Amino acid sequence: EIVLTQSPGTLSLSPGERATLSCRASQSVSSVLSSYLAWYQQKPGQAPRLLIYDVSSRATGIPARFSGSGSGTDFTLTISRLEPEDFAVYYCQQGSFGGGTKVEIK
Amino acid sequence: QVHLQESGPGLVKPSGTLSLTCAVSGGSISSSNWWSWVRQPPGKGLEWIGEIYHSGSTNYNPSLKSRVTISMDNSKNQFSLNLSSVTAADTAVYYCARKGFFLGSGHYYFDFWGQGTLVTVSS
């Protein structure tokens, strides 16, 4: 079973700053599954929302400031300029979920 | 737009069975998607419980497999979760979700979620 480790646990930033979130898999997947990774955003009291799928594709309605990248075992979610509504918890998923990164207002 | 709604008891006694149902509207559970359950203990992260395909095939989290059963009722367009021998560690918000098929890669991702329902295990 692949374990996803997210870092940092908490990211303290100000609106307008760039956020870089990391997700590391315990082992690389086969070429067939190499593009299989998603990112979700969860706000307090709400269900998670799909942001990014297939490592780098934005889901419907997701702003361009959200981007995903990576390959093998190392993946990154970048928020180019944080908006007030972006402060939330973010999870990566590849089968199971990572432990999450909380992006909080500094 | 697919809508999912969880229902079931909010309180279950230890050693009992947790039973939840997810009603689906705006789409058919007979479509080529996986129908899933995910839970989140208070203040913690997300844990995938299991899923069922329209054919009836199921996959379960190995850590819960011995206690979980997921079934579906096509006539009512809903699917259900049974989790047996519950303890306080099973207290969580339980979400039902659709794992939709994404054409580009052929992978499935959680694209629609219910609002979640809190289930507390306590005597």
Side-chain angles (χ1 to χ4, degrees):
Chain A
E1 179 186 348
I2 294 176
V3 176
L4 299 177
T5 301
Q6 292 187 241
S7 61
T10 302
L11 200 50
S12 299
L13 295 168
S14 300
E17 289 194 293
R18 182 184 188 91
T20 303
L21 287 67
S22 173
C23 176
R24 176 164 291 178
S26 58
Q27 57 184 287
S28 185
V29 297
S30 67
S31 59
V32 172
L33 296 175
S34 62
S35 65
Y36 181 43
L37 186 108
W39 291 91
Y40 299 83
Q41 176 193 66
Q42 186 180 34
K43 297 180 180 179
Q46 296 184 16
R49 176 175 70 147
L50 178 64
L51 292 178
I52 300 287
Y53 66 95
D54 290 348
V55 177
S56 60
S57 297
R58 278 188 300 278
T60 302
I62 301 304
R65 64 180 181 273
F66 290 92
S67 63
S69 62
S71 64
T73 59
D74 290 305
F75 302 91
T76 300
L77 174 69
T78 301
I79 310 171
S80 58
R81 287 179 56 87
L82 283 164
E83 297 288 339
E85 62 267 28
D86 299 337
F87 292 91
V89 179
Y90 294 84
Y91 295 93
C92 58
Q93 180 251 335
Q94 191 182 63
S96 61
F97 291 92
T101 291
K102 181 180 182 180
V103 178
E104 65 175 23
I105 299 177
K106 187 175 182 180
Chain B
Q1 183 82 345
V2 177
H3 181 73
L4 299 93
Q5 180 68 57
E6 305 90 349
S7 62
L11 181 64
V12 180
K13 294 186 185 306
S15 78
T17 297
L18 180 159
S19 296
L20 295 173
T21 296
C22 181
V24 179
S25 57
S28 171
I29 63 167
S30 299
S31 58
S32 299
N33 299 293
W34 289 88
W35 303 93
S36 308
W37 289 96
V38 176
R39 70 180 183 179
Q40 185 170 39
K44 297 188 177 180
L46 302 167
E47 180 181 31
W48 172 74
I49 299 170
E51 60 196 10
I52 188 166
Y53 198 56
H54 69 86
S55 62
S57 297
T58 54
N59 293 312
Y60 298 129
N61 186 323
S63 68
L64 298 170
K65 187 174 184 178
S66 63
R67 299 193 292 130
V68 174
T69 302
I70 296 176
S71 59
M72 64 195 314
D73 185 334
N74 290 285
S75 65
K76 294 183 178 179
N77 213 41
Q78 64 186 32
F79 62 105
S80 300
L81 168 70
N82 277 356
L83 180 66
S84 62
S85 304
V86 297
T87 69
D90 296 308
T91 293
V93 173
Y94 285 76
Y95 294 100
C96 59
R98 188 186 86 166
K99 275 177 83 173
F101 179 76
F102 282 68
L103 271 175
S105 59
H107 297 317
Y108 291 84
Y109 296 100
F110 299 103
D111 56 355
F112 290 99
W113 296 70
Q115 65 185 23
T117 187
L118 174 63
V119 179
T120 302
V121 178
S122 175
S123 55

